[in-house]
Amino acid sequence: MAAVLKQVLAWMPFFFGIGFIAPLTAQLMQLWEIPAPFGLSPIAFGLVFGGTWGLIANIRGRWL
Amino acid sequence: MSENDLLLRTGADTETTVPASDRPAMPLGPDGLDRYTRRDLRKEEIAIARQFHGGTMWPYAVAAFGCFAVWLSFFPLAIMGMLNLPLAFVLSCFFCVGGYVTSHEAMHSNIGQPGSKTRWLNEAVGAVSTIPIVFPFSMARLMHLEHHYHCNDPLKDPDYTDEAPNMWAAWYKTWYNRQPGVDGSIHHYKRILAEMGTPAARRALVETMILQLVFMGTLFTMAWNGYAIEAALIWWLPRHIGLSYIRFFLSWAPHHPREGKTGRYENTNIFKSRVGHILSMGMQYHLIHHLYPGIPNHRTKEAYYALKPILKARGVDVSPL
């Protein structure tokens, strides 16, 4: 159990990217009426954006 | 009769009887005081400090529970669409910062000593106060007491990672230290707790993990149900702003520069804050807290002015205030 939780926490930036940044991006785009590129829906764009950013943060160890 | 004549004994040579320098009769410390003077100053210091210990502590408990309850109410109110989000955001930032102040009193058992009637209140205040910044009280207390025991020790002071050459670098570092791959702030704390390996340290690590999972679970659940902006403005962003503010005013500002400053009267500074006494949470007088952690935060200013002549005699730079 502890080992599983440690793994979850180790991948937390990626999970945070898809779990929080993705819907936050989509909802901000809708609020500010910004269309998603390439014909994507706001949430699909949010998932690509948040997932990629979270993965990069996971690998690099930095969000910026 | 000249001074030399008075000093000379009959028949003695001037070079052997007149001292070449004004070397003191007994060794003096680095502060230029002999141990008898230091002891007398210390006695006087303790007598004055004793007057400022204790006092009315219930407002800390009222503030802690009141602010926590209001902050908690923001979540259902946001979901029901009954919340003024900009106002809730500002208040949440305030609760994140203020919560550390109330928990800080609990860390030093100032609300209730072990074995006293109000001990439960002390522990309850500590437990609720740091939830908004996702920093369990068990970890906060252990790490803060380590900071007091080993203040400014590069290896043993858990807060040493906050050190930075100037104010702007310090603000940057408050954010940098929270990055997932950086051994700073909470990541540094987790490593120290793992090294400690005591039951209390293990409990603190487990509670940290649980609180972090609750935090993430709440954010994810709210976000995927259409309340991401609300979650960001009530918890995620205020936590980051609060942590940076706390790190800057409670750790960097009163202890900079840390290098080599480990002595009782030199490990903490008296400084003049640009934002004043209240907004800097009384940290201008943080030296008093390090000398006497039993003096509550709201009395450190008063205690400082009472102790100022003694601190000056001990070599503390009291010129800022």
Side-chain angles (χ1 to χ4, degrees):
Chain A
M1 181 66 178
V4 173
L5 284 176
K6 265 190 176 174
Q7 278 300 310
V8 170
L9 288 174
W11 284 94
M12 195 48 89
F14 174 65
F15 293 136
F16 187 77
I18 55 173
F20 188 65
I21 295 176
L24 179 63
T25 305
Q27 286 165 41
L28 285 173
M29 287 170 76
Q30 284 166 338
L31 180 72
W32 292 326
E33 296 175 354
I34 301 168
F38 315 118
L40 292 169
S41 66
I43 193 62
F45 175 75
L47 280 168
V48 172
F49 173 68
T52 309
W53 194 10
L55 197 60
I56 291 170
N58 231 132
I59 295 164
R60 285 186 63 232
R62 311 275 190 282
W63 279 101
L64 290 173
Chain B
M1 188 178 278
S2 72
E3 191 180 339
N4 272 355
D5 291 331
L6 284 169
L7 290 166
L8 283 172
R9 285 178 302 180
T10 312
D13 187 336
T14 313
E15 286 181 12
T16 56
T17 53
V18 177
S21 69
D22 289 337
R23 193 182 305 145
M26 63 183 72
L28 300 179
D31 51 8
L33 304 172
D34 64 65
R35 68 191 178 102
Y36 298 103
T37 310
R38 284 204 301 274
R39 191 189 59 191
D40 289 346
L41 282 172
R42 187 71 192 276
K43 276 184 180 173
E44 205 181 333
E45 181 191 306
I46 290 169
I48 295 170
R50 194 169 281 144
Q51 300 166 28
F52 296 95
H53 277 73
T56 311
M57 295 303 289
W58 63 263
Y60 288 95
V62 170
F65 292 119
C67 291
F68 183 68
V70 172
W71 176 74
L72 217 52
S73 76
F74 288 165
F75 293 88
L77 288 173
I79 290 166
M80 290 187 283
M82 295 166 66
L83 191 68
N84 180 326
L85 261 182
L87 178 64
F89 167 66
V90 173
L91 286 175
S92 296
C93 291
F94 172 77
F95 296 157
C96 283
V97 173
Y100 193 86
V101 177
T102 51
S103 83
H104 187 219
E105 293 304 318
M107 287 174 210
H108 291 287
S109 301
N110 288 346
I111 297 165
Q113 291 289 322
S116 70
K117 277 183 188 171
T118 53
R119 182 61 176 173
W120 66 272
L121 188 61
N122 186 82
E123 300 304 283
V125 167
V128 300
S129 295
T130 50
I131 289 174
I133 53 170
V134 196
F135 189 37
F137 181 55
S138 50
M139 177 189 257
R141 173 154 58 189
L142 273 178
M143 290 299 96
H144 187 64
L145 295 181
E146 283 292 297
H147 161 66
H148 272 262
Y149 298 147
H150 307 292
C151 192
N152 292 354
D153 183 314
L155 299 174
K156 293 178 180 173
D157 181 352
D159 294 341
Y160 199 89
T161 54
D162 292 322
E163 180 53 5
N166 57 59
M167 186 179 82
W168 300 111
W171 277 111
Y172 168 75
K173 212 156 180 205
T174 64
W175 170 82
Y176 175 80
N177 277 341
R178 287 198 300 278
Q179 296 308 296
V182 175
D183 188 30
S185 53
I186 201 155
H187 310 299
H188 187 56
Y189 287 2
K190 282 185 195 171
R191 190 172 55 74
I192 291 174
L193 286 174
E195 284 169 8
M196 284 168 83
T198 60
R202 276 195 291 275
R203 184 185 151 201
L205 274 174
V206 170
E207 287 182 6
T208 303
M209 196 160 64
I210 292 169
L211 190 54
Q212 285 185 334
L213 289 173
V214 168
F215 173 56
M216 287 298 165
T218 306
L219 292 188
F220 294 2
T221 307
M222 285 187 74
W224 281 96
N225 282 287
Y227 302 101
I229 297 168
E230 287 81 352
L233 292 177
I234 296 169
W235 203 354
W236 177 63
L237 204 50
R239 172 182 175 260
H240 278 287
I241 292 169
L243 282 173
S244 284
Y245 198 88
I246 291 163
R247 289 262 153 218
F248 181 82
F249 278 108
L250 273 90
S251 186
W252 182 81
H255 294 296
H256 174 71
R258 290 179 187 259
E259 197 178 346
K261 300 269 181 83
T262 53
R264 177 176 162 82
Y265 295 94
E266 63 173 6
N267 64 19
T268 314
N269 305 317
I270 295 295
F271 70 98
K272 180 145 181 68
S273 168
R274 292 180 192 190
V275 297
H277 178 57
I278 303 288
L279 286 179
S280 62
M281 299 165 283
M283 289 303 121
Q284 297 176 123
Y285 311 99
H286 196 56
L287 171 66
I288 301 302
H289 170 68
H290 268 259
L291 294 175
Y292 298 97
I295 296 179
N297 184 272
H298 67 281
R299 302 191 76 185
T300 52
K301 180 180 180 180
E302 201 186 350
Y304 166 69
Y305 286 108
L307 289 165
K308 193 173 175 180
I310 294 170
L311 297 175
K312 193 176 179 185
R314 295 305 305 250
V316 174
D317 179 11
V318 293
S319 62
L321 289 165

